[in-house]
Amino acid sequence: MFNPDAQEDVKDPCPVFDGALWHMFGSGGTVTTETWDILHATATSLEGPWQEQDPIKLPITGSGIAAPGVIYADGVFHMFVQTEFMKPHGRVEHAVSNDGFRWVVLNPALVSIPGTDEHGVYDPHPAEIDGQKYIVYSAMPPFERVPQPDVYLARSLSGTWFGPWERIGKILDHNDLPHHNRRDDPDYEWGIEGAQLVQLPNGKILLNATCFLPSGPRGQRQRVFFALADRVEGPYASVGPVLHPEQPGENGHSTVLLHNGELLLIYQSRIEATNHRWRYGIAKCSLEPLAA
């Protein structure tokens, strides 16, 4: 779907349509040094071809400014973006734009709470459910070896994208997923991340996120999975991983779009064919199995 010219790796895709142009926001950089910019590309159709724009530079600080979750509403782009993903004192920053190119940073939407289950916060994604505004994100308690994030939710008290944001708490835990590695596994790899919420036409809530399989070689365990709930707060019942690589590799952090009765999934993957560099792909499925 998208092969970058200026970046070794592209991750965390978030496509947004402004009524005339498609914008692809994400993370562009390299896994070699874990150095990232906020990717921006544009196209007249979702399938491309995509034109890479200059990376978006926001006047914010952090060692992990990446993984933007973006929504377009009432003529305004709202971007929620992490500043850290393996450290405390991270923030979910909020920036706005009229065109997707020039941005103004407002007050942070969320900040981490050191020493708690939200010691670190990252991978925010906005969602509108039954007219209410939400941010779904990953959060982790203090850790010694590797982060073990779960999925959390916050709701706007003003009913707008400007907040303030009330923390609702954890909505999906490691123990809710039989296809996810256990916290006490000596070969534990990572937690649940890259979450997104979408309301289906039948009213059910679809949670789209990334898990890590309980077994297999490292570098081949990451998978996109879906879970369903009747309420945005859950409980969520997983339907399991939905994409399996056709060759050695893995897939992860993705965005779901509903279009013409189909569910479109724009995801990151790395396989042998891309020399295990992260690229974006697109997959489609009928809504009927999820609406049952």
Side-chain angles (χ1 to χ4, degrees):
M1 177 186 179
F2 182 87
N3 273 308
D5 294 324
Q7 309 287 350
E8 290 188 3
D9 296 280
V10 289
K11 298 181 71 176
D12 316 316
C14 183
V16 179
F17 188 57
D18 68 5
L21 193 66
W22 281 97
H23 297 255
M24 181 69 77
F25 302 99
S27 305
T30 174
V31 296
T32 305
T33 59
E34 288 293 344
T35 304
W36 302 98
D37 287 318
I38 299 176
L39 174 81
H40 184 207
T42 55
T44 55
S45 71
L46 186 59
E47 292 78 11
W50 290 89
Q51 180 180 353
E52 289 179 65
Q53 307 293 339
D54 291 337
I56 296 171
K57 302 291 187 181
L58 300 177
I60 58 179
T61 58
S63 64
I65 300 171
V70 184
I71 196 166
Y72 182 76
D74 300 322
V76 178
F77 291 90
H78 294 266
M79 177 187 292
F80 298 91
V81 62
Q82 70 187 38
T83 61
E84 306 287 353
F85 75 100
M86 286 188 66
K87 296 180 179 179
H89 308 297
R91 305 176 308 282
V92 171
E93 296 279 8
H94 180 200
V96 294
S97 172
N98 292 325
D99 59 10
F101 291 83
R102 294 172 291 273
W103 294 83
V104 175
V105 176
L106 307 179
N107 293 326
L110 296 167
V111 297
S112 72
I113 308 174
T116 72
D117 287 343
E118 297 193 41
H119 185 74
V121 294
Y122 73 109
D123 275 0
H125 204 116
E128 183 168 344
I129 308 293
D130 287 330
Q132 294 291 317
K133 310 297 192 292
Y134 295 93
I135 297 174
V136 62
Y137 59 101
S138 287
M140 68 193 78
F143 61 93
E144 295 181 358
R145 184 169 61 91
V146 62
Q148 297 186 342
D150 292 308
V151 178
Y152 287 73
L153 187 67
R155 176 178 55 222
S156 173
L157 292 177
S158 68
T160 74
W161 294 114
F162 299 99
W165 298 91
E166 174 191 30
R167 282 174 155 94
I168 294 175
K170 185 188 299 186
I171 61 170
L172 193 70
D173 182 87
H174 280 52
N175 294 331
D176 298 327
L177 303 178
H179 50 79
H180 185 58
N181 54 191
R182 302 292 94 189
R183 287 189 177 91
D184 58 357
D185 190 327
D187 198 26
Y188 179 91
E189 188 168 353
W190 205 269
I192 314 168
E193 61 182 11
Q196 178 205 6
L197 296 173
V198 176
Q199 188 163 30
L200 299 176
N202 65 358
K204 287 187 177 293
I205 312 302
L206 172 68
L207 187 149
N208 156 48
T210 300
C211 67
F212 289 78
L213 300 180
S215 62
R218 285 178 174 252
Q220 297 187 37
R221 298 183 190 172
Q222 195 171 163
R223 293 290 188 277
V224 174
F225 75 93
F226 291 164
L228 293 168
D230 293 323
R231 302 169 61 248
V232 66
E233 300 89 351
Y236 284 87
S238 175
V239 300
V242 296
L243 283 179
H244 297 285
E246 297 179 353
Q247 53 184 279
E250 59 185 352
N251 54 63
H253 198 146
S254 56
T255 293
V256 159
L257 301 173
L258 303 181
H259 183 67
N260 293 335
E262 289 186 313
L263 185 149
L264 305 183
L265 182 73
I266 295 83
Y267 61 95
Q268 67 180 40
S269 74
R270 57 179 174 185
I271 54 177
E272 285 185 331
T274 64
N275 196 28
H276 294 285
R277 290 294 183 183
W278 287 104
R279 296 291 183 264
Y280 294 160
I282 184 169
K284 300 179 181 181
C285 76
S286 169
L287 284 172
E288 291 181 5
L290 296 173

